[in-house]
Amino acid sequence: MAKADIFSKVPELNYSEPAIETDFDAFKAVVNSRRSIRVYDATPIPESVMRECLDLALLAPNSSNLQTWEFFWVRSPEKKAELVRLCLSQPAARTAQELVVAVARPDFWKINRERMLEVLTQNGEKGAGYQYYNKVVILAYSLGFLNLMGFFKRLFVYFRGLTQVTPRIPTSSTELETWAQKSTALACQNLMLALRAAGYDSCPMEGMDGVRVRKLLGLPNAAKVCMVISAGKRGKNGVYGPRIRFDNSHFIHEV
Ligand SMILES: Cc1cc2nc3c(=O)[nH]c(=O)nc-3n(C[C@H](O)[C@H](O)[C@H](O)COP(=O)(O)O)c2cc1C
């Protein structure tokens, strides 16, 4: 299969997954009732609910299915107390029943590429999917020693892009981080919607010291804290005010 065909050709598959019936009203109720909760009551979240919601987070769409994320459900009382402090002792953290640190792992593309090749090999897949992970992923996400490959990639995509449709990222560690953060943030949203669907509430927080949080969790420099998510049941004054959104004409454009 020629290189360009990997993207444009529909592969011949012996697989189908019918779309099940879903409840749009139930989904709207979840999305509409999710608010950022700053004060929680004392209701605990059952362990099984937390586990299910975390599992649902991992079902978020993610770039190249390379799953460049980690979620740390902070359960040790000492670590939890320190995490609250690192979240500036915000009430959203201080009063929470549970705290989860979502971490983007741009470096995970390598190990997860290998895992993917293993799964594809077990499944007897040698076609475009295998080629994608075997070759394209390396070209797309390698930056090389001292970002040398990223530098040359940047030049390459610039000149190629002058005349041809060219995927342009990532060519630097910043772009690779952004790439991983996007997928991690989608998983965070899955987690928060899952909690709401299960009858609980949440608050995403980037009002925290990401470097100290990373150190608290004993993570390497390559790990980038995306956000801390607090969870629990909303207290009486847990929602600080009615939801404010500007007119959708500012944001939704039909072109
Ligand atoms: C990435 C991100 C970081 C946030 N950080 C904080 C935070 O540190 N503390 C806080 O109280 N709320 C935080 N929020 C919540 C926002 O303030 C909230 O989503 C926004 O005001 C809209 O309100 P709503 O979530 O109730 O619709 C954050 C939200 C996001 C998406």
Side-chain angles (χ1 to χ4, degrees):
M1 186 178 286
K3 260 186 212 161
D5 286 355
I6 286 185
F7 295 104
S8 60
K9 194 170 179 252
V10 178
E12 281 165 31
L13 298 173
N14 193 13
Y15 180 78
S16 77
E17 195 170 300
I20 60 157
E21 284 293 315
T22 50
D23 187 338
F24 191 35
D25 286 336
F27 178 72
K28 283 192 283 189
V30 168
V31 173
N32 283 324
S33 64
R34 186 214 54 80
R35 295 298 316 276
S36 292
I37 298 305
R38 276 51 183 255
V39 182
Y40 298 92
D41 72 14
T43 315
I45 305 181
E47 251 188 46
S48 58
V49 170
M50 279 303 289
R51 286 186 203 288
E52 258 190 295
C53 291
L54 284 163
D55 283 344
L56 287 167
L58 301 187
L59 298 187
N62 64 93
S63 184
S64 291
N65 206 3
L66 285 167
Q67 303 164 53
T68 48
W69 52 39
E70 275 185 304
F71 292 84
F72 293 85
W73 178 13
V74 177
R75 307 192 69 185
S76 112
E78 300 76 36
K79 279 205 168 73
K80 218 168 151 186
E82 179 59 3
L83 183 56
V84 168
R85 191 180 79 82
L86 300 183
C87 292
L88 315 173
S89 296
Q90 304 186 40
R94 213 173 59 233
T95 66
Q97 290 296 313
E98 303 298 343
L99 292 171
V100 174
V101 183
V103 181
R105 293 302 305 253
D107 53 328
F108 269 20
W109 73 263
K110 284 186 190 153
I111 177 82
N112 286 342
R113 167 187 168 268
E114 281 167 20
R115 287 181 177 136
M116 191 61 80
L117 286 173
E118 247 175 66
V119 172
L120 293 175
T121 304
Q122 275 163 18
N123 294 349
E125 158 78 51
K126 281 278 169 198
Y130 189 91
Q131 291 315 320
Y132 181 77
Y133 289 99
N134 201 27
K135 297 215 170 93
V136 181
V137 159
I138 295 180
L139 288 174
Y141 305 118
S142 283
L143 296 177
F145 182 62
L146 293 177
N147 196 31
L148 271 177
M149 188 171 161
F151 174 75
F152 286 113
K153 243 185 351 181
R154 180 167 286 221
L155 286 178
F156 173 77
V157 298
Y158 175 76
F159 286 109
R160 188 181 187 274
L162 291 175
T163 54
Q164 290 177 62
V165 175
T166 306
R168 307 202 175 228
I169 54 166
T171 61
S172 69
S173 53
T174 309
E175 287 176 359
L176 197 70
E177 179 184 341
T178 304
W179 168 74
Q181 292 278 14
K182 282 190 227 174
S183 295
T184 309
L186 291 177
C188 289
Q189 177 71 334
N190 260 27
L191 175 59
M192 293 185 279
L193 293 180
L195 283 161
R196 184 78 281 277
Y200 298 90
D201 294 293
S202 63
C203 185
M205 288 174 284
E206 55 185 8
M208 44 89 194
D209 184 333
V211 171
R212 284 192 165 83
V213 172
R214 174 170 61 69
K215 287 182 180 157
L216 174 71
L217 299 173
L219 293 169
N221 286 344
K224 308 291 177 190
V225 174
C226 176
M227 64 183 87
V228 178
I229 294 173
S230 62
K233 250 196 200 298
R234 65 183 74 184
K236 254 198 201 122
N237 306 319
V239 183
Y240 279 1
R243 182 176 252 155
I244 299 170
R245 288 294 190 270
F246 308 121
D247 192 86
N248 67 7
S249 62
H250 293 298
F251 309 113
I252 299 175
H253 309 288
E254 298 189 18
V255 294

